[in-house]
Amino acid sequence: LSFYICIRKRGTGLETMSTKRPGVQAALNLLKATENNDGKDQSLLWDHTEQRLDELIKAIPFLEERQNQMDLLQVRLEESTRPSLAVEDLVTVLNWKHTVGKNRPFNVKLVRSNSSSSVKAHSEKALQMAAAL
């Protein structure tokens, strides 16, 4: 599947598939910068990267609105004693993903074809598993 990228460390180098997705080069640069500092504290590098996130979000049309929707979803999930997603929550996540990645509009139709009960049950289980990590 050529649209997936697989990055894995081998010895001192990185191997990638030929088709790179957006953001891959930035991630590789950040990884290399982290590795090349002999184990020194990388918190300043990560802080600098995270500080630029708001600037980047504002630069992409519609991303700020969609990021706000994701932030509201995150708050709701964190405040819930038994967090789960509804079909519309998945559509919100998918719309955000399409804004920052490749737009695949047929995915929305596939997401909407799931039953509410199925999405709720599976997302609840997945979120419980993630919380246990």
Side-chain angles (χ1 to χ4, degrees):
L1 299 173
S2 63
F3 58 89
Y4 285 107
I5 180 151
C6 177
I7 300 173
R8 59 186 180 270
K9 289 178 67 170
R10 278 210 177 150
T12 58
L14 292 171
E15 289 189 4
T16 61
M17 291 176 70
S18 60
T19 305
K20 292 186 179 181
R21 296 184 68 185
V24 169
Q25 191 58 52
L28 290 172
N29 292 342
L30 192 56
L31 177 63
K32 286 179 186 176
T34 302
E35 289 178 336
N36 292 337
N37 285 307
D38 301 324
K40 294 179 184 174
D41 181 16
Q42 296 301 310
S43 61
L44 292 177
L45 179 62
W46 286 102
D47 287 346
H48 174 73
T49 303
E50 288 177 354
Q51 288 170 0
R52 295 209 48 220
L53 181 60
D54 289 337
E55 172 189 333
L56 295 172
I57 287 172
K58 290 178 182 174
I60 300 173
F62 305 109
L63 184 55
E64 187 171 20
E65 176 187 341
R66 292 191 173 161
Q67 184 64 47
N68 290 338
Q69 293 170 344
M70 291 293 292
D71 292 343
L72 291 172
L73 177 59
Q74 178 182 355
V75 168
R76 186 175 58 77
L77 292 172
E78 288 173 348
E79 291 176 348
S80 176
T81 56
R82 292 185 68 182
S84 64
L85 298 173
V87 174
E88 285 306 311
D89 295 332
L90 283 181
V91 172
T92 297
V93 172
L94 197 58
N95 285 335
W96 177 86
K97 187 178 181 306
H98 288 167
T99 304
V100 299
K102 186 172 182 174
N103 189 12
R104 294 184 174 98
F106 61 88
N107 287 349
V108 175
K109 185 176 181 180
L110 291 174
V111 166
R112 287 189 189 278
S113 71
N114 290 292
S115 71
S116 296
S117 60
S118 174
V119 171
K120 182 179 182 338
H122 288 92
S123 64
E124 187 174 329
K125 183 177 179 181
L127 291 167
Q128 285 173 352
M129 291 172 67
L133 295 177

